[in-house]
Amino acid sequence: MRHLLSTKDMSRDDAITLLDIAEDMADVADREVKKLPTLRGKTVVNLFFEDSTRTRISFEAAAKRLSADVINFSAKGSSVSKGESLKDTAQTLAAMGADAVVIRHPASGAPHVLAESGWIDAGIINAGDGMHEHPTQALLDAFTIRRRLHQGGARGKGLDGVTVTIVGDILHSRVARSNVWLLTTLGAHVTFVAPPTLLPMDLTGWPAEVGFDLDAAIDSGPDVVMMLRIQLERMNAAFFPNSREYSRRWGLDDERFARLAPTSIVMHPGPMNRGLEISSAAADSAGSTVREQVANGVSVRMAALYLLLSGDREDS
Ligand code: NCD
C-alpha cells in the first residue's frame, strides 16, 4: 500500500488484510512491553491543520509502538493561502526526510493533493479531510464491530449481513462517508437516519438506505447504532430548531437506548455531545464501544503505518 487516502476504492481483501494485521498489533498492546522494532529509523510526521485529540495521539501512540520517530506539526492558525502553505510545508517535511505524513486538513482532497503533487515522496495517510473522508476512523469502526460480533476469532472475516444504522449529522460527517463505503465493501447493510436538513442533497450512488424516523430504526433491531456528533463548527446556518428538539427527535436518549436489543452495540467516534446526540447512560453502557474504539484506533493505525512503511518504498 502506497498511501491511505480513502475507503471508497479499498477492496474487501485489502480491508480484511489490514484488519487482520490490526489484530496482531492489538496483541502487542496486551504485552508488558508494548513495542515492536518494525519501523525503527523511520520518521512519521503528524501534520494537523484542524483540531484533534484522539486521532492525533492515536497516530502518535501507533508510530511510537512501532519504534518510529514522530514529529507533531500543528499548523492550525496559519494564515498563508492553503495551496501554497501546503506545498511549502510538504517540501520542508521532505527535506527533513519524512517517510510518512499523517494529514488532517479542513479542505476536502488535501491529502490527495499531497500524495499526487510530487512535493514529497512519503506515504500519505488521510486523518480527516474536511467533510470528505476519514479512512482510519472507518477501519477502526469496522475492526470494533468485527471483534464484538465474532468474539474469539475475527481474523479473515468480513461483516456480512451486519446491519448498521448511522444517525445524525451525516451532511458534515467524513466518518459517515468513509464508513458507508468500507462497511458495505465488507458486506454490511448501512442505513442513514437523520433530519432531512442534515443529509447530503444528492445521495445517488451511496450504498445506504435512508430513514427519517429514529424510533422505527431502533425498533427494526439493528446490530449496530452509530451516533454522530453534531458538528456545530461546520454549520453556518440553523439546521435544526434547537438542541432540545434535536435530542428529542434524533438523540439516543435513555428511553430509546432501553429499547435496543441487549446484543446491539452503540458507537460514537468522539468527541461526544452528551445529552445532545447521545445520553450518558447509552454512552457508558456495556453495549457502548466508545472506549474500545479509541483503543482499537491505535491497533488499526499501527497496521496502516506498517503496511505503508515496512515494504521497500524505493520499489514502489
Ligand atoms: C471525528 C472527526 O474528526 O471527523 N472525530 C474523530 O476523528 N475521532 C468526528 C467528529 O469530530 O465528530
Side-chain angles (χ1 to χ4, degrees), residues 23-69:
E23 287 287 349
D24 297 337
M25 297 301 180
D27 293 342
V28 175
D30 296 334
R31 293 191 203 155
E32 202 178 315
V33 179
K34 301 180 179 37
K35 217 165 168 98
L36 292 174
T38 322
L39 298 186
R40 215 166 41 196
K42 303 278 187 188
T43 300
V44 176
V45 177
N46 279 327
L47 182 60
F48 278 61
F49 293 83
E50 226 187 56
D51 292 340
S52 171
T53 312
R54 68 214 84 214
T55 304
R56 194 184 58 71
I57 62 176
S58 181
F59 270 109
E60 185 171 350
K64 285 181 170 165
R65 276 189 199 169
L66 292 171
S67 305
D69 293 319

Side-chain angles (χ1 to χ4, degrees), residues 50 54-55 104 134 137 174-175 229 231 233-234 269-271:
E50 226 187 56
R54 68 214 84 214
T55 304
R104 169 168 288 195
H134 191 355
Q137 178 70 43
R174 53 198 178 202
V175 176
R229 184 174 66 88
Q231 303 202 18
E233 78 278 20
R234 297 194 202 276

Side-chain angles (χ1 to χ4, degrees), residues 67 82 95 131 149 204 225 300:
S67 305
K82 291 218 173 93
M131 303 182 337
L149 297 181
T204 321
V225 179
V300 163

Side-chain angles (χ1 to χ4, degrees), residues 5 19 40 60 72 98 114 144 192 224 231 247 264 286:
L5 303 175
L19 298 182
R40 215 166 41 196
E60 185 171 350
N72 288 314
L114 207 54
T144 303
F192 291 150
V224 179
Q231 303 202 18
S247 61
S264 297

